[in-house]
Amino acid sequence: MALTALKELQAGDHAPLLVFEVGRNSQLDSLSYQSLIMRRVFVRFPEVLFIHRTHNPRGKILYTFLVDAPGVQLESSLTRIVYFSVPVKENTEGLVQLFQTFKKFNPEWERICTILVDPYFSLLPVLAMEFPSAEILLSAFHVCKFLQGKFYRLALEHSVKKLLLTTLKNTMCSATASNLKKMHSLLSDSVPQDLQPDLHLSWLLDDRIWLAHRWRSKAESMCYFQDLEITTRVLSQFFGIELSLERSVLSLIGYLKQNMEKEGASNSDLNIPANCTPPEPSAEITKLQEVEACIQHSLQTICAEPAAQLCLGEFAVVQRSVQLIGSSTDRVNVQILEDMHEVHPQGPGSCTCHFSQTFGLPCRHILAILSSRQQVLQPEMLPEQWKRGCRTPPGSVASLANILGSRWNVALDKELVVAFLTGEVRRLLLQCSREEFERRYNTLRELADSWIGPYFQVQV
């Protein structure tokens, strides 16, 4: 039915540009799409192209092209989208086909001067080969998101981490050379030297990246980042879920078509407002903020202090991530830019992730479900020993409180790493074929013998 609907999109006088391939299993393998509105926007603003990639739990990647030239301030943030495509695979052959289809759809592609990409895009030679006259740069938006993610994972004091995030936000909204140098100096002083290479601090001093963004005023920069944040979240909500590729694409096409028409983007003149001021938060965003505040309050009210501290750390990950949530009859699948886990939210909530299995506490996946359903933590979802006011035997919550109140130590680090690796090895062995199991078992046998020696019978 979904493939039939895609074929129907190709019919009619005002049909979009649509190319797709079906695999041997009669399922969609690849797709490229551009509506008439998208084509009109690209013809109007072809100079700078912004490429965003959205990952799907099934292994597919959605490439979305947006216009990003000076003066592009359309009525709807989604109207920046001018083309999207899902390659069969993210390899040289798949991307060559993707880019060549875009060029067939848009003969004006030679007018592209700059292409902005994310730091994790590795097939830059393919992009350079297909667009030889365009300069390929990192986008300011993706660099900002990259640094934000790194800051959250750094083991720094809360006040230092907050200072870094605030300074980064202010720098992105006013990316002058002096502000970028100040940001660089702050990171050099705040982050341990051995961790600095992972942050790629040189990007802050690469003027080519920021010249493509610096022309915006502070108000325009705020508007720009908020628009892209909304757009990328919409893409993740529609494409990054556990649905068939056909259904995901159809849902996304329908949503984009509805919103573009509602915003009046089909007008031939494509009205461009003279000034862009930061929009007021939508009712949906305001509601989300209220829900997040209620979840935080419920955690602090119901949980003992150590449990609240652990869960608030998990919820912080939820707040700064996109949650990919799909449900079935008896379980909910949650992915937060990591391996997918199964959640059983009824009763004392449980999840297959390491945090939930180790501590028995609401993890980021359970909290993501609460957030998406606009619910809060209930007392029955928490094991008795973690509830506020509950008397527990010495050595349980009290010992964990000591761990949380102390600095990280090598022994604890090793213990958690070993537990995680043991679980991963067990999972991989259970999932592989008999032949693969024998090969992996023999590898473990040799490793154990080399460590402890064949003179001891080591059980593996």
Side-chain angles (χ1 to χ4, degrees):
M1 292 177 63
L3 286 174
T4 301
L6 284 174
K7 292 176 182 177
E8 291 175 354
L9 283 175
Q10 293 177 310
D13 297 333
H14 301 286
L17 300 170
L18 175 64
V19 175
F20 62 89
E21 296 179 4
V22 178
R24 295 179 181 178
N25 56 1
S26 299
Q27 293 183 342
L28 191 65
D29 260 357
S30 67
L31 175 140
S32 295
Y33 175 88
Q34 185 180 53
S35 69
L36 297 180
I37 295 174
M38 292 176 179
R39 164 122 180 82
R40 189 181 302 145
V41 173
F42 176 74
V43 171
R44 181 76 179 273
F45 306 105
E47 293 83 6
V48 183
L49 205 60
F50 177 103
I51 299 179
H52 180 74
R53 299 180 302 143
T54 308
H55 294 260
N56 182 279
R58 294 179 178 270
K60 290 290 189 179
I61 298 178
L62 173 70
Y63 275 72
T64 306
F65 291 19
L66 302 91
V67 290
D68 201 86
V72 179
Q73 294 172 2
L74 301 168
E75 295 179 10
S76 167
S77 60
L78 297 175
T79 315
R80 288 178 174 270
I81 299 175
V82 295
Y83 171 82
F84 63 77
S85 181
V86 181
V88 178
K89 291 183 179 179
E90 194 183 34
N91 54 18
T92 299
E93 182 182 355
L95 291 192
V96 166
Q97 182 180 0
L98 183 155
F99 295 139
Q100 289 184 354
T101 302
F102 173 80
K103 293 194 289 186
K104 290 177 182 177
F105 285 1
N106 303 278
E108 303 82 3
W109 67 268
E110 292 184 345
R111 294 169 57 193
I112 299 173
C113 300
T114 306
I115 299 178
L116 306 175
V117 298
D118 66 86
Y120 296 105
F121 182 66
S122 59
L123 295 173
L124 293 175
V126 180
L127 188 59
M129 177 182 67
E130 292 298 324
F131 299 91
S133 60
E135 184 180 20
I136 302 171
L137 300 172
L138 292 177
S139 79
F141 174 79
H142 285 123
V143 169
C144 179
K145 299 296 288 184
F146 172 86
L147 290 174
Q148 279 182 341
K150 294 293 184 182
F151 293 169
Y152 281 117
R153 288 190 289 272
L154 287 174
L156 300 175
E157 296 291 337
H158 176 72
S159 58
V160 176
K161 191 175 296 187
K162 184 177 180 180
L163 174 62
L164 291 178
L165 291 168
T166 302
T167 306
L168 177 64
K169 179 180 178 180
N170 294 334
T171 303
M172 294 302 104
C173 290
S174 181
T176 63
S178 61
N179 285 345
L180 290 164
K181 288 179 181 178
K182 290 177 182 177
M183 184 76 218
H184 184 277
S185 299
L186 177 61
L187 286 171
S188 300
D189 296 337
S190 305
V191 179
Q193 193 168 2
D194 59 323
L195 300 178
Q196 292 181 16
D198 195 39
L199 297 179
H200 296 277
L201 299 186
S202 60
W203 291 345
L204 294 171
L205 304 181
D206 187 346
D207 213 39
R208 296 182 306 158
I209 297 174
W210 309 105
L211 283 175
H213 172 66
R214 191 174 292 155
W215 58 268
R216 296 181 178 93
S217 67
K218 185 173 183 178
E220 289 171 335
S221 295
M222 292 175 65
C223 180
Y224 172 76
F225 279 103
Q226 185 174 19
D227 282 353
L228 284 178
E229 189 70 45
I230 293 171
T231 300
T232 55
R233 281 180 177 269
V234 167
L235 295 172
S236 294
Q237 290 295 336
F238 279 94
F239 186 77
I241 54 179
E242 192 69 19
L243 293 176
S244 68
L245 180 57
E246 297 91 335
R247 291 173 61 191
S248 296
V249 168
L250 278 173
S251 299
L252 179 59
I253 290 174
Y255 183 84
L256 292 177
K257 182 179 178 182
Q258 177 186 358
N259 278 269
M260 287 180 178
E261 291 177 352
K262 183 172 64 176
E263 295 290 343
S266 57
N267 294 337
S268 59
D269 58 351
L270 287 172
N271 294 326
I272 309 298
N275 296 305
C276 177
T277 56
E280 292 295 325
S282 64
E284 182 180 355
I285 293 176
T286 302
K287 180 65 176 177
L288 178 61
Q289 292 173 341
E290 293 176 354
V291 170
E292 290 178 346
C294 290
I295 292 175
Q296 289 179 340
H297 178 72
S298 66
L299 288 169
Q300 294 168 333
T301 303
I302 298 172
C303 299
E305 181 61 30
Q309 190 174 346
L310 285 168
C311 293
L312 287 172
E314 289 289 283
F315 191 54
V317 177
V318 174
Q319 290 175 297
R320 64 177 180 268
S321 306
V322 176
Q323 299 90 51
L324 316 178
I325 300 176
S327 59
S328 59
T329 53
D330 59 342
R331 66 178 185 271
V332 181
N333 292 330
V334 180
Q335 183 181 14
I336 306 179
L337 302 180
E338 58 180 0
D339 291 336
M340 185 168 56
H341 298 283
E342 291 184 3
V343 172
H344 300 271
Q346 292 81 13
S350 65
C351 176
T352 56
C353 74
H354 180 68
F355 180 91
S356 179
Q357 296 296 313
T358 301
F359 299 114
L361 285 167
C363 60
R364 64 191 67 174
H365 311 102
I366 295 175
L367 294 168
I369 293 174
L370 292 179
S371 181
S372 68
R373 294 177 176 177
Q374 299 185 0
Q375 298 174 348
V376 298
L377 183 70
Q378 300 298 326
E380 59 270 17
M381 298 178 65
L382 200 66
E384 282 298 323
Q385 68 269 22
W386 284 114
K387 292 182 181 178
R388 181 176 291 275
C390 177
R391 293 185 177 180
T392 55
S396 55
V397 175
S399 63
L400 184 60
N402 293 334
I403 293 174
L404 291 174
S406 63
R407 292 190 176 275
W408 196 256
N409 61 76
V410 177
L412 180 60
D413 190 11
K414 289 181 179 179
E415 183 178 347
L416 291 178
V417 169
V418 169
F420 174 77
L421 288 177
T422 303
E424 283 295 292
V425 170
R426 180 179 182 277
R427 181 180 66 83
L428 292 172
L429 288 175
L430 290 175
Q431 291 178 353
C432 64
S433 64
R434 180 66 188 176
E435 294 77 10
E436 184 67 13
F437 175 85
E438 291 294 337
R439 187 182 68 82
R440 292 179 176 179
Y441 175 86
N442 290 334
T443 301
L444 285 174
R445 174 82 269 165
E446 293 176 3
L447 182 62
D449 287 343
S450 67
W451 280 359
I452 307 176
Y455 36 85
F456 288 114
Q457 184 61 37
V458 182
Q459 182 178 357
V460 295

